[in-house]
Amino acid sequence: MLIESRTSSDPELAALLVAQQRELREADGGLDGQVFVPHDDARYLVGVLAGRAVACGAIQALERDTAEIKRMYVRPAHRGQGLARQLLGALEEMALRAGHSVLRLETGSYLPAAIQLYISSGYAEIPVYGEYVDNPYSVCFEKRLPVLA
């Protein structure tokens, strides 16, 4: 998979994010209540296969040394091929290059595959934080990244 940086206004990225939101509403029955709000200060990556955008993710700075992974998504037809893990690695590298040593993320308790991906990639569950504190479906994780030499 080719991984490319994209702007928040990229139409292929927007299509992935719309698909993600539709799938999340179906998964949680509309209970979560989260709605996508574009983050112009986030740095987005898109995974491309055979010329088609099939995966996305972003990092957004929270503090000087801490960033949050946002909007991780792989189209259903392309799951189970290691694309999410590849994208996660690229997001971690991007965070390191930006000077972040800690990555945090939030996912839904109704997304066991996502939770397993993060745990198997070295993320540890942490208490919910920030905008997720009042969401009963939020599960948050954190990973300390290795320092670049």
Side-chain angles (χ1 to χ4, degrees):
M1 175 173 67
L2 175 65
I3 299 177
E4 304 174 339
S5 179
R6 300 281 180 97
T7 65
S8 61
S9 61
D10 179 81
E12 288 185 304
L13 172 64
L16 287 167
L17 297 175
V18 166
Q20 177 196 41
Q21 291 303 295
R22 186 177 309 116
E23 190 174 327
L24 288 175
R25 278 192 304 276
E26 291 171 6
D28 72 8
L31 298 173
D32 192 331
Q34 294 295 322
V35 175
F36 172 65
V37 177
H39 298 281
D40 291 335
D41 58 340
R43 297 174 58 197
Y44 290 91
L45 295 179
V46 169
V48 179
L49 278 178
R52 183 167 183 245
V54 299
C56 65
I59 62 166
Q60 182 179 28
L62 294 176
E63 300 167 5
R64 187 182 61 75
D65 66 339
T66 305
E68 181 177 11
I69 293 177
K70 304 195 77 74
R71 300 296 151 210
M72 279 279 298
Y73 180 70
V74 176
R75 289 194 183 274
H78 298 282
R79 293 183 186 157
Q81 302 172 32
L83 303 182
R85 190 172 303 280
Q86 187 179 346
L87 182 61
L88 183 59
L91 289 166
E92 290 175 357
E93 288 177 25
M94 186 167 64
L96 278 169
R97 286 193 306 271
H100 302 294
S101 58
V102 177
L103 272 177
R104 291 186 183 153
L105 63 92
E106 181 271 348
T107 192
S109 58
Y110 48 86
L111 298 171
I115 291 170
Q116 183 54 43
L117 169 68
Y118 299 129
I119 290 171
S120 69
S121 297
Y123 288 78
E125 190 170 345
I126 61 170
V128 291
Y129 61 91
E131 65 188 281
Y132 312 112
V133 169
D134 293 326
N135 186 332
Y137 302 100
S138 287
V139 182
C140 294
F141 293 90
E142 180 177 282
K143 180 178 182 178
R144 297 205 171 271
L145 302 173
V147 178
L148 292 176

PDB file of all heavy atoms in Angstrom, residues 104-141:
ATOM      1  N   ARG A 104      -1.749   9.021  21.827  1.00  0.00           N
ATOM      2  CA  ARG A 104      -2.993   8.596  22.470  1.00  0.00           C
ATOM      3  C   ARG A 104      -4.036   8.383  21.391  1.00  0.00           C
ATOM      4  O   ARG A 104      -3.919   8.893  20.279  1.00  0.00           O
ATOM      5  CB  ARG A 104      -3.491   9.657  23.442  1.00  0.00           C
ATOM      6  CG  ARG A 104      -2.621   9.814  24.652  1.00  0.00           C
ATOM      7  CD  ARG A 104      -3.237  10.776  25.640  1.00  0.00           C
ATOM      8  NE  ARG A 104      -2.328  10.948  26.755  1.00  0.00           N
ATOM      9  CZ  ARG A 104      -2.265  12.025  27.511  1.00  0.00           C
ATOM     10  NH1 ARG A 104      -3.092  13.031  27.270  1.00  0.00           N
ATOM     11  NH2 ARG A 104      -1.420  12.105  28.495  1.00  0.00           N
ATOM     12  N   LEU A 105      -5.085   7.670  21.752  1.00  0.00           N
ATOM     13  CA  LEU A 105      -6.191   7.487  20.816  1.00  0.00           C
ATOM     14  C   LEU A 105      -7.429   7.069  21.570  1.00  0.00           C
ATOM     15  O   LEU A 105      -7.365   6.610  22.707  1.00  0.00           O
ATOM     16  CB  LEU A 105      -5.840   6.452  19.739  1.00  0.00           C
ATOM     17  CG  LEU A 105      -5.567   5.025  20.207  1.00  0.00           C
ATOM     18  CD1 LEU A 105      -6.836   4.183  20.177  1.00  0.00           C
ATOM     19  CD2 LEU A 105      -4.516   4.398  19.314  1.00  0.00           C
ATOM     20  N   GLU A 106      -8.552   7.244  20.906  1.00  0.00           N
ATOM     21  CA  GLU A 106      -9.855   6.823  21.429  1.00  0.00           C
ATOM     22  C   GLU A 106     -10.510   5.956  20.375  1.00  0.00           C
ATOM     23  O   GLU A 106     -10.391   6.201  19.175  1.00  0.00           O
ATOM     24  CB  GLU A 106     -10.726   8.044  21.704  1.00  0.00           C
ATOM     25  CG  GLU A 106     -12.095   7.739  22.278  1.00  0.00           C
ATOM     26  CD  GLU A 106     -13.190   7.507  21.234  1.00  0.00           C
ATOM     27  OE1 GLU A 106     -12.967   7.790  20.041  1.00  0.00           O
ATOM     28  OE2 GLU A 106     -14.268   7.020  21.618  1.00  0.00           O
ATOM     29  N   THR A 107     -11.171   4.904  20.841  1.00  0.00           N
ATOM     30  CA  THR A 107     -11.971   4.071  19.957  1.00  0.00           C
ATOM     31  C   THR A 107     -13.230   3.676  20.704  1.00  0.00           C
ATOM     32  O   THR A 107     -13.372   3.960  21.895  1.00  0.00           O
ATOM     33  CB  THR A 107     -11.174   2.843  19.453  1.00  0.00           C
ATOM     34  OG1 THR A 107     -11.894   2.228  18.384  1.00  0.00           O
ATOM     35  CG2 THR A 107     -10.886   1.848  20.557  1.00  0.00           C
ATOM     36  N   GLY A 108     -14.140   3.017  20.018  1.00  0.00           N
ATOM     37  CA  GLY A 108     -15.390   2.615  20.651  1.00  0.00           C
ATOM     38  C   GLY A 108     -15.298   1.226  21.260  1.00  0.00           C
ATOM     39  O   GLY A 108     -14.669   0.327  20.701  1.00  0.00           O
ATOM     40  N   SER A 109     -15.957   1.046  22.374  1.00  0.00           N
ATOM     41  CA  SER A 109     -15.974  -0.268  23.034  1.00  0.00           C
ATOM     42  C   SER A 109     -16.637  -1.323  22.163  1.00  0.00           C
ATOM     43  O   SER A 109     -16.431  -2.516  22.352  1.00  0.00           O
ATOM     44  CB  SER A 109     -16.697  -0.171  24.382  1.00  0.00           C
ATOM     45  OG  SER A 109     -18.022   0.308  24.193  1.00  0.00           O
ATOM     46  N   TYR A 110     -17.403  -0.900  21.165  1.00  0.00           N
ATOM     47  CA  TYR A 110     -18.104  -1.789  20.244  1.00  0.00           C
ATOM     48  C   TYR A 110     -17.258  -2.130  19.013  1.00  0.00           C
ATOM     49  O   TYR A 110     -17.777  -2.665  18.034  1.00  0.00           O
ATOM     50  CB  TYR A 110     -19.428  -1.146  19.801  1.00  0.00           C
ATOM     51  CG  TYR A 110     -19.260   0.295  19.364  1.00  0.00           C
ATOM     52  CD1 TYR A 110     -18.908   0.615  18.062  1.00  0.00           C
ATOM     53  CD2 TYR A 110     -19.417   1.337  20.276  1.00  0.00           C
ATOM     54  CE1 TYR A 110     -18.715   1.915  17.660  1.00  0.00           C
ATOM     55  CE2 TYR A 110     -19.231   2.644  19.884  1.00  0.00           C
ATOM     56  CZ  TYR A 110     -18.883   2.934  18.581  1.00  0.00           C
ATOM     57  OH  TYR A 110     -18.684   4.236  18.202  1.00  0.00           O
ATOM     58  N   LEU A 111     -15.954  -1.807  19.060  1.00  0.00           N
ATOM     59  CA  LEU A 111     -15.044  -2.082  17.939  1.00  0.00           C
ATOM     60  C   LEU A 111     -13.906  -3.004  18.395  1.00  0.00           C
ATOM     61  O   LEU A 111     -12.753  -2.575  18.523  1.00  0.00           O
ATOM     62  CB  LEU A 111     -14.481  -0.774  17.373  1.00  0.00           C
ATOM     63  CG  LEU A 111     -15.511   0.197  16.800  1.00  0.00           C
ATOM     64  CD1 LEU A 111     -14.871   1.537  16.486  1.00  0.00           C
ATOM     65  CD2 LEU A 111     -16.157  -0.402  15.557  1.00  0.00           C
ATOM     66  N   PRO A 112     -14.204  -4.271  18.641  1.00  0.00           N
ATOM     67  CA  PRO A 112     -13.175  -5.181  19.186  1.00  0.00           C
ATOM     68  C   PRO A 112     -11.968  -5.365  18.269  1.00  0.00           C
ATOM     69  O   PRO A 112     -10.846  -5.539  18.764  1.00  0.00           O
ATOM     70  CB  PRO A 112     -13.922  -6.491  19.401  1.00  0.00           C
ATOM     71  CG  PRO A 112     -15.122  -6.406  18.520  1.00  0.00           C
ATOM     72  CD  PRO A 112     -15.481  -4.947  18.444  1.00  0.00           C
ATOM     73  N   ALA A 113     -12.138  -5.321  16.955  1.00  0.00           N
ATOM     74  CA  ALA A 113     -10.992  -5.482  16.056  1.00  0.00           C
ATOM     75  C   ALA A 113     -10.022  -4.308  16.206  1.00  0.00           C
ATOM     76  O   ALA A 113      -8.804  -4.493  16.200  1.00  0.00           O
ATOM     77  CB  ALA A 113     -11.457  -5.621  14.615  1.00  0.00           C
ATOM     78  N   ALA A 114     -10.560  -3.104  16.348  1.00  0.00           N
ATOM     79  CA  ALA A 114      -9.709  -1.927  16.540  1.00  0.00           C
ATOM     80  C   ALA A 114      -8.970  -2.029  17.874  1.00  0.00           C
ATOM     81  O   ALA A 114      -7.762  -1.772  17.947  1.00  0.00           O
ATOM     82  CB  ALA A 114     -10.542  -0.650  16.488  1.00  0.00           C
ATOM     83  N   ILE A 115      -9.682  -2.417  18.914  1.00  0.00           N
ATOM     84  CA  ILE A 115      -9.054  -2.558  20.229  1.00  0.00           C
ATOM     85  C   ILE A 115      -7.923  -3.579  20.164  1.00  0.00           C
ATOM     86  O   ILE A 115      -6.827  -3.339  20.685  1.00  0.00           O
ATOM     87  CB  ILE A 115     -10.108  -2.938  21.289  1.00  0.00           C
ATOM     88  CG1 ILE A 115     -11.051  -1.746  21.515  1.00  0.00           C
ATOM     89  CG2 ILE A 115      -9.447  -3.392  22.587  1.00  0.00           C
ATOM     90  CD1 ILE A 115     -12.280  -2.056  22.352  1.00  0.00           C
ATOM     91  N   GLN A 116      -8.144  -4.701  19.506  1.00  0.00           N
ATOM     92  CA  GLN A 116      -7.112  -5.727  19.384  1.00  0.00           C
ATOM     93  C   GLN A 116      -5.906  -5.210  18.605  1.00  0.00           C
ATOM     94  O   GLN A 116      -4.765  -5.498  18.958  1.00  0.00           O
ATOM     95  CB  GLN A 116      -7.671  -6.993  18.732  1.00  0.00           C
ATOM     96  CG  GLN A 116      -6.657  -8.117  18.644  1.00  0.00           C
ATOM     97  CD  GLN A 116      -6.031  -8.465  19.984  1.00  0.00           C
ATOM     98  OE1 GLN A 116      -6.703  -8.540  21.000  1.00  0.00           O
ATOM     99  NE2 GLN A 116      -4.726  -8.662  20.003  1.00  0.00           N
ATOM    100  N   LEU A 117      -6.146  -4.449  17.537  1.00  0.00           N
ATOM    101  CA  LEU A 117      -5.047  -3.863  16.770  1.00  0.00           C
ATOM    102  C   LEU A 117      -4.175  -2.996  17.670  1.00  0.00           C
ATOM    103  O   LEU A 117      -2.947  -3.122  17.674  1.00  0.00           O
ATOM    104  CB  LEU A 117      -5.579  -3.025  15.606  1.00  0.00           C
ATOM    105  CG  LEU A 117      -4.529  -2.152  14.892  1.00  0.00           C
ATOM    106  CD1 LEU A 117      -3.512  -3.002  14.140  1.00  0.00           C
ATOM    107  CD2 LEU A 117      -5.200  -1.154  13.966  1.00  0.00           C
ATOM    108  N   TYR A 118      -4.796  -2.125  18.443  1.00  0.00           N
ATOM    109  CA  TYR A 118      -4.022  -1.210  19.272  1.00  0.00           C
ATOM    110  C   TYR A 118      -3.271  -1.955  20.372  1.00  0.00           C
ATOM    111  O   TYR A 118      -2.087  -1.688  20.601  1.00  0.00           O
ATOM    112  CB  TYR A 118      -4.928  -0.117  19.843  1.00  0.00           C
ATOM    113  CG  TYR A 118      -5.560   0.713  18.759  1.00  0.00           C
ATOM    114  CD1 TYR A 118      -6.925   0.947  18.727  1.00  0.00           C
ATOM    115  CD2 TYR A 118      -4.796   1.253  17.725  1.00  0.00           C
ATOM    116  CE1 TYR A 118      -7.500   1.702  17.711  1.00  0.00           C
ATOM    117  CE2 TYR A 118      -5.372   2.002  16.707  1.00  0.00           C
ATOM    118  CZ  TYR A 118      -6.722   2.216  16.709  1.00  0.00           C
ATOM    119  OH  TYR A 118      -7.296   2.947  15.705  1.00  0.00           O
ATOM    120  N   ILE A 119      -3.907  -2.904  21.016  1.00  0.00           N
ATOM    121  CA  ILE A 119      -3.229  -3.669  22.069  1.00  0.00           C
ATOM    122  C   ILE A 119      -2.047  -4.438  21.480  1.00  0.00           C
ATOM    123  O   ILE A 119      -0.944  -4.428  22.036  1.00  0.00           O
ATOM    124  CB  ILE A 119      -4.218  -4.614  22.781  1.00  0.00           C
ATOM    125  CG1 ILE A 119      -5.207  -3.794  23.617  1.00  0.00           C
ATOM    126  CG2 ILE A 119      -3.475  -5.626  23.651  1.00  0.00           C
ATOM    127  CD1 ILE A 119      -6.361  -4.601  24.192  1.00  0.00           C
ATOM    128  N   SER A 120      -2.262  -5.103  20.346  1.00  0.00           N
ATOM    129  CA  SER A 120      -1.189  -5.892  19.736  1.00  0.00           C
ATOM    130  C   SER A 120      -0.074  -5.011  19.157  1.00  0.00           C
ATOM    131  O   SER A 120       1.008  -5.510  18.859  1.00  0.00           O
ATOM    132  CB  SER A 120      -1.745  -6.819  18.657  1.00  0.00           C
ATOM    133  OG  SER A 120      -2.199  -6.076  17.539  1.00  0.00           O
ATOM    134  N   SER A 121      -0.326  -3.716  19.033  1.00  0.00           N
ATOM    135  CA  SER A 121       0.684  -2.778  18.530  1.00  0.00           C
ATOM    136  C   SER A 121       1.380  -2.035  19.658  1.00  0.00           C
ATOM    137  O   SER A 121       2.101  -1.057  19.404  1.00  0.00           O
ATOM    138  CB  SER A 121       0.032  -1.781  17.562  1.00  0.00           C
ATOM    139  OG  SER A 121      -0.483  -2.454  16.434  1.00  0.00           O
ATOM    140  N   GLY A 122       1.140  -2.459  20.896  1.00  0.00           N
ATOM    141  CA  GLY A 122       1.855  -1.883  22.027  1.00  0.00           C
ATOM    142  C   GLY A 122       1.159  -0.757  22.744  1.00  0.00           C
ATOM    143  O   GLY A 122       1.756  -0.095  23.599  1.00  0.00           O
ATOM    144  N   TYR A 123      -0.103  -0.520  22.459  1.00  0.00           N
ATOM    145  CA  TYR A 123      -0.861   0.521  23.145  1.00  0.00           C
ATOM    146  C   TYR A 123      -1.460  -0.057  24.423  1.00  0.00           C
ATOM    147  O   TYR A 123      -1.944  -1.184  24.427  1.00  0.00           O
ATOM    148  CB  TYR A 123      -1.968   1.084  22.238  1.00  0.00           C
ATOM    149  CG  TYR A 123      -1.405   1.942  21.135  1.00  0.00           C
ATOM    150  CD1 TYR A 123      -0.818   1.366  20.013  1.00  0.00           C
ATOM    151  CD2 TYR A 123      -1.427   3.329  21.226  1.00  0.00           C
ATOM    152  CE1 TYR A 123      -0.269   2.142  19.009  1.00  0.00           C
ATOM    153  CE2 TYR A 123      -0.880   4.115  20.220  1.00  0.00           C
ATOM    154  CZ  TYR A 123      -0.305   3.512  19.120  1.00  0.00           C
ATOM    155  OH  TYR A 123       0.251   4.286  18.121  1.00  0.00           O
ATOM    156  N   ALA A 124      -1.435   0.746  25.479  1.00  0.00           N
ATOM    157  CA  ALA A 124      -1.993   0.332  26.770  1.00  0.00           C
ATOM    158  C   ALA A 124      -3.237   1.163  27.055  1.00  0.00           C
ATOM    159  O   ALA A 124      -3.263   2.375  26.780  1.00  0.00           O
ATOM    160  CB  ALA A 124      -0.973   0.531  27.882  1.00  0.00           C
ATOM    161  N   GLU A 125      -4.247   0.516  27.614  1.00  0.00           N
ATOM    162  CA  GLU A 125      -5.476   1.241  27.942  1.00  0.00           C
ATOM    163  C   GLU A 125      -5.194   2.255  29.041  1.00  0.00           C
ATOM    164  O   GLU A 125      -4.460   1.977  29.997  1.00  0.00           O
ATOM    165  CB  GLU A 125      -6.568   0.268  28.380  1.00  0.00           C
ATOM    166  CG  GLU A 125      -7.917   0.930  28.500  1.00  0.00           C
ATOM    167  CD  GLU A 125      -9.070  -0.040  28.695  1.00  0.00           C
ATOM    168  OE1 GLU A 125      -8.897  -1.249  28.466  1.00  0.00           O
ATOM    169  OE2 GLU A 125     -10.151   0.442  29.085  1.00  0.00           O
ATOM    170  N   ILE A 126      -5.776   3.437  28.885  1.00  0.00           N
ATOM    171  CA  ILE A 126      -5.652   4.518  29.856  1.00  0.00           C
ATOM    172  C   ILE A 126      -7.048   5.044  30.168  1.00  0.00           C
ATOM    173  O   ILE A 126      -8.005   4.746  29.448  1.00  0.00           O
ATOM    174  CB  ILE A 126      -4.763   5.668  29.330  1.00  0.00           C
ATOM    175  CG1 ILE A 126      -5.361   6.276  28.049  1.00  0.00           C
ATOM    176  CG2 ILE A 126      -3.335   5.199  29.119  1.00  0.00           C
ATOM    177  CD1 ILE A 126      -4.694   7.564  27.577  1.00  0.00           C
ATOM    178  N   PRO A 127      -7.195   5.830  31.234  1.00  0.00           N
ATOM    179  CA  PRO A 127      -8.509   6.434  31.503  1.00  0.00           C
ATOM    180  C   PRO A 127      -8.922   7.342  30.345  1.00  0.00           C
ATOM    181  O   PRO A 127      -8.073   7.947  29.677  1.00  0.00           O
ATOM    182  CB  PRO A 127      -8.266   7.255  32.775  1.00  0.00           C
ATOM    183  CG  PRO A 127      -7.046   6.654  33.401  1.00  0.00           C
ATOM    184  CD  PRO A 127      -6.211   6.148  32.263  1.00  0.00           C
ATOM    185  N   VAL A 128     -10.235   7.444  30.113  1.00  0.00           N
ATOM    186  CA  VAL A 128     -10.712   8.334  29.065  1.00  0.00           C
ATOM    187  C   VAL A 128     -10.283   9.760  29.390  1.00  0.00           C
ATOM    188  O   VAL A 128     -10.133  10.126  30.553  1.00  0.00           O
ATOM    189  CB  VAL A 128     -12.237   8.235  28.852  1.00  0.00           C
ATOM    190  CG1 VAL A 128     -12.620   6.901  28.257  1.00  0.00           C
ATOM    191  CG2 VAL A 128     -12.984   8.490  30.136  1.00  0.00           C
ATOM    192  N   TYR A 129     -10.075  10.549  28.360  1.00  0.00           N
ATOM    193  CA  TYR A 129      -9.534  11.897  28.528  1.00  0.00           C
ATOM    194  C   TYR A 129     -10.269  12.873  27.611  1.00  0.00           C
ATOM    195  O   TYR A 129     -10.985  12.474  26.686  1.00  0.00           O
ATOM    196  CB  TYR A 129      -8.028  11.916  28.213  1.00  0.00           C
ATOM    197  CG  TYR A 129      -7.699  11.511  26.802  1.00  0.00           C
ATOM    198  CD1 TYR A 129      -7.615  12.449  25.784  1.00  0.00           C
ATOM    199  CD2 TYR A 129      -7.486  10.179  26.468  1.00  0.00           C
ATOM    200  CE1 TYR A 129      -7.331  12.082  24.479  1.00  0.00           C
ATOM    201  CE2 TYR A 129      -7.188   9.793  25.172  1.00  0.00           C
ATOM    202  CZ  TYR A 129      -7.108  10.757  24.183  1.00  0.00           C
ATOM    203  OH  TYR A 129      -6.824  10.385  22.895  1.00  0.00           O
ATOM    204  N   GLY A 130     -10.063  14.149  27.892  1.00  0.00           N
ATOM    205  CA  GLY A 130     -10.533  15.213  27.014  1.00  0.00           C
ATOM    206  C   GLY A 130     -11.997  15.123  26.652  1.00  0.00           C
ATOM    207  O   GLY A 130     -12.863  14.890  27.507  1.00  0.00           O
ATOM    208  N   GLU A 131     -12.280  15.265  25.368  1.00  0.00           N
ATOM    209  CA  GLU A 131     -13.653  15.294  24.868  1.00  0.00           C
ATOM    210  C   GLU A 131     -14.387  13.974  25.038  1.00  0.00           C
ATOM    211  O   GLU A 131     -15.598  13.907  24.842  1.00  0.00           O
ATOM    212  CB  GLU A 131     -13.664  15.709  23.389  1.00  0.00           C
ATOM    213  CG  GLU A 131     -12.984  14.697  22.485  1.00  0.00           C
ATOM    214  CD  GLU A 131     -12.813  15.181  21.061  1.00  0.00           C
ATOM    215  OE1 GLU A 131     -13.795  15.134  20.292  1.00  0.00           O
ATOM    216  OE2 GLU A 131     -11.697  15.610  20.735  1.00  0.00           O
ATOM    217  N   TYR A 132     -13.677  12.899  25.403  1.00  0.00           N
ATOM    218  CA  TYR A 132     -14.277  11.569  25.495  1.00  0.00           C
ATOM    219  C   TYR A 132     -14.777  11.212  26.896  1.00  0.00           C
ATOM    220  O   TYR A 132     -15.412  10.180  27.082  1.00  0.00           O
ATOM    221  CB  TYR A 132     -13.261  10.507  25.042  1.00  0.00           C
ATOM    222  CG  TYR A 132     -12.599  10.874  23.747  1.00  0.00           C
ATOM    223  CD1 TYR A 132     -11.254  11.203  23.701  1.00  0.00           C
ATOM    224  CD2 TYR A 132     -13.326  10.922  22.558  1.00  0.00           C
ATOM    225  CE1 TYR A 132     -10.645  11.556  22.508  1.00  0.00           C
ATOM    226  CE2 TYR A 132     -12.731  11.278  21.357  1.00  0.00           C
ATOM    227  CZ  TYR A 132     -11.388  11.598  21.349  1.00  0.00           C
ATOM    228  OH  TYR A 132     -10.791  11.948  20.166  1.00  0.00           O
ATOM    229  N   VAL A 133     -14.504  12.051  27.880  1.00  0.00           N
ATOM    230  CA  VAL A 133     -14.802  11.740  29.287  1.00  0.00           C
ATOM    231  C   VAL A 133     -16.268  11.375  29.511  1.00  0.00           C
ATOM    232  O   VAL A 133     -16.565  10.450  30.265  1.00  0.00           O
ATOM    233  CB  VAL A 133     -14.369  12.911  30.200  1.00  0.00           C
ATOM    234  CG1 VAL A 133     -14.896  12.732  31.611  1.00  0.00           C
ATOM    235  CG2 VAL A 133     -12.853  13.022  30.213  1.00  0.00           C
ATOM    236  N   ASP A 134     -17.167  12.045  28.852  1.00  0.00           N
ATOM    237  CA  ASP A 134     -18.590  11.791  29.090  1.00  0.00           C
ATOM    238  C   ASP A 134     -19.196  10.774  28.126  1.00  0.00           C
ATOM    239  O   ASP A 134     -20.409  10.561  28.138  1.00  0.00           O
ATOM    240  CB  ASP A 134     -19.373  13.109  29.003  1.00  0.00           C
ATOM    241  CG  ASP A 134     -19.007  14.055  30.130  1.00  0.00           C
ATOM    242  OD1 ASP A 134     -18.725  13.568  31.244  1.00  0.00           O
ATOM    243  OD2 ASP A 134     -18.985  15.278  29.896  1.00  0.00           O
ATOM    244  N   ASN A 135     -18.374  10.140  27.306  1.00  0.00           N
ATOM    245  CA  ASN A 135     -18.879   9.157  26.355  1.00  0.00           C
ATOM    246  C   ASN A 135     -18.710   7.754  26.939  1.00  0.00           C
ATOM    247  O   ASN A 135     -17.591   7.269  27.085  1.00  0.00           O
ATOM    248  CB  ASN A 135     -18.127   9.264  25.025  1.00  0.00           C
ATOM    249  CG  ASN A 135     -18.698   8.361  23.956  1.00  0.00           C
ATOM    250  OD1 ASN A 135     -19.277   7.325  24.254  1.00  0.00           O
ATOM    251  ND2 ASN A 135     -18.519   8.743  22.711  1.00  0.00           N
ATOM    252  N   PRO A 136     -19.805   7.075  27.285  1.00  0.00           N
ATOM    253  CA  PRO A 136     -19.698   5.757  27.911  1.00  0.00           C
ATOM    254  C   PRO A 136     -19.154   4.670  26.984  1.00  0.00           C
ATOM    255  O   PRO A 136     -18.800   3.584  27.440  1.00  0.00           O
ATOM    256  CB  PRO A 136     -21.133   5.440  28.329  1.00  0.00           C
ATOM    257  CG  PRO A 136     -21.980   6.236  27.383  1.00  0.00           C
ATOM    258  CD  PRO A 136     -21.194   7.494  27.106  1.00  0.00           C
ATOM    259  N   TYR A 137     -19.054   4.946  25.682  1.00  0.00           N
ATOM    260  CA  TYR A 137     -18.564   3.968  24.712  1.00  0.00           C
ATOM    261  C   TYR A 137     -17.082   4.142  24.390  1.00  0.00           C
ATOM    262  O   TYR A 137     -16.513   3.339  23.657  1.00  0.00           O
ATOM    263  CB  TYR A 137     -19.383   4.058  23.419  1.00  0.00           C
ATOM    264  CG  TYR A 137     -20.841   3.832  23.677  1.00  0.00           C
ATOM    265  CD1 TYR A 137     -21.722   4.914  23.770  1.00  0.00           C
ATOM    266  CD2 TYR A 137     -21.352   2.553  23.870  1.00  0.00           C
ATOM    267  CE1 TYR A 137     -23.066   4.711  24.042  1.00  0.00           C
ATOM    268  CE2 TYR A 137     -22.689   2.348  24.141  1.00  0.00           C
ATOM    269  CZ  TYR A 137     -23.538   3.429  24.222  1.00  0.00           C
ATOM    270  OH  TYR A 137     -24.866   3.232  24.493  1.00  0.00           O
ATOM    271  N   SER A 138     -16.462   5.179  24.940  1.00  0.00           N
ATOM    272  CA  SER A 138     -15.058   5.458  24.639  1.00  0.00           C
ATOM    273  C   SER A 138     -14.118   4.551  25.419  1.00  0.00           C
ATOM    274  O   SER A 138     -14.308   4.300  26.607  1.00  0.00           O
ATOM    275  CB  SER A 138     -14.718   6.916  24.974  1.00  0.00           C
ATOM    276  OG  SER A 138     -15.296   7.776  24.029  1.00  0.00           O
ATOM    277  N   VAL A 139     -13.093   4.083  24.712  1.00  0.00           N
ATOM    278  CA  VAL A 139     -11.976   3.350  25.295  1.00  0.00           C
ATOM    279  C   VAL A 139     -10.730   4.057  24.773  1.00  0.00           C
ATOM    280  O   VAL A 139     -10.598   4.279  23.570  1.00  0.00           O
ATOM    281  CB  VAL A 139     -11.966   1.870  24.853  1.00  0.00           C
ATOM    282  CG1 VAL A 139     -10.815   1.120  25.505  1.00  0.00           C
ATOM    283  CG2 VAL A 139     -13.290   1.202  25.162  1.00  0.00           C
ATOM    284  N   CYS A 140      -9.819   4.423  25.679  1.00  0.00           N
ATOM    285  CA  CYS A 140      -8.640   5.189  25.273  1.00  0.00           C
ATOM    286  C   CYS A 140      -7.360   4.396  25.521  1.00  0.00           C
ATOM    287  O   CYS A 140      -7.285   3.571  26.434  1.00  0.00           O
ATOM    288  CB  CYS A 140      -8.591   6.512  26.032  1.00  0.00           C
ATOM    289  SG  CYS A 140      -9.967   7.612  25.603  1.00  0.00           S
ATOM    290  N   PHE A 141      -6.375   4.690  24.679  1.00  0.00           N
ATOM    291  CA  PHE A 141      -5.092   3.992  24.724  1.00  0.00           C
ATOM    292  C   PHE A 141      -3.961   4.990  24.574  1.00  0.00           C
ATOM    293  O   PHE A 141      -4.150   6.104  24.071  1.00  0.00           O
ATOM    294  CB  PHE A 141      -5.008   2.961  23.582  1.00  0.00           C
ATOM    295  CG  PHE A 141      -5.957   1.821  23.732  1.00  0.00           C
ATOM    296  CD1 PHE A 141      -7.234   1.895  23.193  1.00  0.00           C
ATOM    297  CD2 PHE A 141      -5.594   0.677  24.411  1.00  0.00           C
ATOM    298  CE1 PHE A 141      -8.126   0.848  23.327  1.00  0.00           C
ATOM    299  CE2 PHE A 141      -6.477  -0.379  24.546  1.00  0.00           C
ATOM    300  CZ  PHE A 141      -7.744  -0.297  24.011  1.00  0.00           C
TER     301      PHE A 141
END
